[in-house]
Amino acid sequence: SKVNCTVSLVNTRSVRNKTSELMDCAIDSHSDICVLTETWLTNLDNVPRAALKQHGFNFQDFTRQSARRGGGTGILYKDSLRVSKQACGENNSFEYSEWLVTSANNRVKLCVIYRPPYSEDHPVSVQSFFTEFEDYLESIVLSNEPICIMGDFNIHMDKSTCPDQHKLMDILNSFGL
């Protein structure tokens, strides 16, 4: 039998000063899993990590490995779920983390993506992202588990006139996603 799971996504722009609000959000929204982008955590941020492990929730994350500040992805989840990090990394245009989420009867591969927007600090075009993202999808699409891809792509999917929106949809459609 299938088990329903409620999943939410939050671009936190730093979890350091928002752990209480994130816990409240996860509890109030009845989320089983809350995917986080832009955690801005470093390897030294043990206090916010501990603060996100309460009220029946656990937290795991992947910190940005490059010298640029910010970034990072994480997953806040109910402790009734088993979650293991499968892979993580940074491409030139985006960072990702992959998690195997297991409940009593189901398994899913949850892929979290964060693509920083083009800026002086990150002068990488959206075209570069499309190329790297297609390569990434080729590497995960044959997963044994169902795949759920979530994140902050910094592409306005609500603007039907945006050519980047159409290109992203074309890529996802070409992979049957």
Side-chain angles (χ1 to χ4, degrees):
S1 70
K2 293 287 181 185
V3 175
N4 289 331
C5 184
T6 302
V7 182
S8 57
L9 170 71
V10 178
N11 181 314
T12 62
R13 298 208 52 169
S14 181
V15 299
R16 287 187 198 110
N17 60 351
K18 300 177 183 122
T19 55
S20 294
E21 291 86 351
L22 288 168
M23 290 303 306
D24 289 347
C25 179
I27 292 166
D28 292 348
S29 67
H30 304 285
S31 290
D32 298 296
I33 299 170
C34 186
V35 171
L36 307 175
T37 59
E38 285 197 87
T39 60
W40 294 11
L41 293 175
T42 69
N43 291 332
L44 303 176
D45 287 316
N46 295 322
V47 172
R49 284 185 180 92
L52 291 169
K53 294 181 179 181
Q54 58 181 331
H55 306 293
F57 283 87
N58 282 311
F59 176 73
Q60 293 186 53
D61 68 303
F62 170 65
T63 60
R64 177 176 280 171
Q65 303 299 296
S66 65
R68 291 180 304 127
R69 75 174 195 86
T73 60
I75 179 171
L76 178 65
Y77 58 94
K78 286 192 175 173
D79 59 12
S80 59
L81 299 171
R82 285 193 325 255
V83 174
S84 60
K85 190 184 311 179
Q86 300 295 293
C88 50
E90 290 180 52
N91 291 315
N92 194 36
S93 65
F94 71 97
E95 55 198 67
Y96 66 92
S97 56
E98 299 172 11
W99 310 89
L100 183 61
V101 179
T102 306
S103 68
N105 300 319
N106 294 299
R107 292 164 52 112
V108 66
K109 183 176 199 161
L110 178 60
C111 304
V112 182
I113 306 291
Y114 174 62
R115 183 189 78 86
Y118 184 92
S119 68
E120 190 175 293
D121 291 336
H122 188 254
V124 180
S125 71
V126 71
Q127 297 311 315
S128 294
F129 166 71
F130 290 141
T131 300
E132 289 184 348
F133 189 58
E134 283 183 278
D135 292 343
Y136 174 73
L137 290 176
E138 284 178 9
S139 76
I140 65 167
V141 76
L142 296 178
S143 171
N144 292 329
E145 291 81 25
I147 299 171
C148 177
I149 301 171
M150 298 179 71
D152 183 353
F153 293 78
N154 277 299
I155 294 174
H156 295 281
M157 299 305 288
D158 58 341
K159 296 182 180 175
S160 62
T161 58
C162 176
D164 295 339
Q165 178 221 34
H166 293 286
K167 177 66 175 172
L168 181 57
M169 291 306 297
D170 288 345
I171 291 170
L172 292 170
N173 286 330
S174 73
F175 283 92
L177 300 170

